[in-house]
Amino acid sequence: GQISAFNGVVYVQVSDIQAGCSKARDLGGTVVPGFPFDLPDGKGAVGLVVDPTGHPVGLYSRTPMAPTK
């Protein structure tokens, strides 16, 4: 279903947020628009994907995203 403020989201720690989002997409998930993004003060990055059945899954990395060239 549609993601709302009342959905619970479980976050899985990944070493590379961009690679994690890409892998989720390769496996049939959808990356939610606006994700991934870096957390303030360099504390890491988060991503949000929706699996093929509609369940949201959060991704967290302690490392911020690599700068884009």
Side-chain angles (χ1 to χ4, degrees):
Q2 187 174 12
I3 296 172
S4 75
F6 302 103
N7 287 118
V9 177
V10 173
Y11 281 81
V12 177
Q13 187 171 343
V14 296
S15 59
D16 180 326
I17 197 73
Q18 292 161 311
C21 287
S22 180
K23 183 67 173 182
R25 195 179 298 113
D26 291 347
L27 293 171
T30 303
V31 179
V32 175
F35 289 90
F37 61 85
D38 286 331
L39 296 171
D41 301 323
K43 296 193 186 270
V46 294
L48 184 63
V49 298
V50 178
D51 76 12
T53 62
H55 295 100
V57 178
L59 303 177
Y60 166 75
S61 173
R62 292 181 179 178
T63 306
M65 293 190 297
T68 56
K69 296 179 182 181

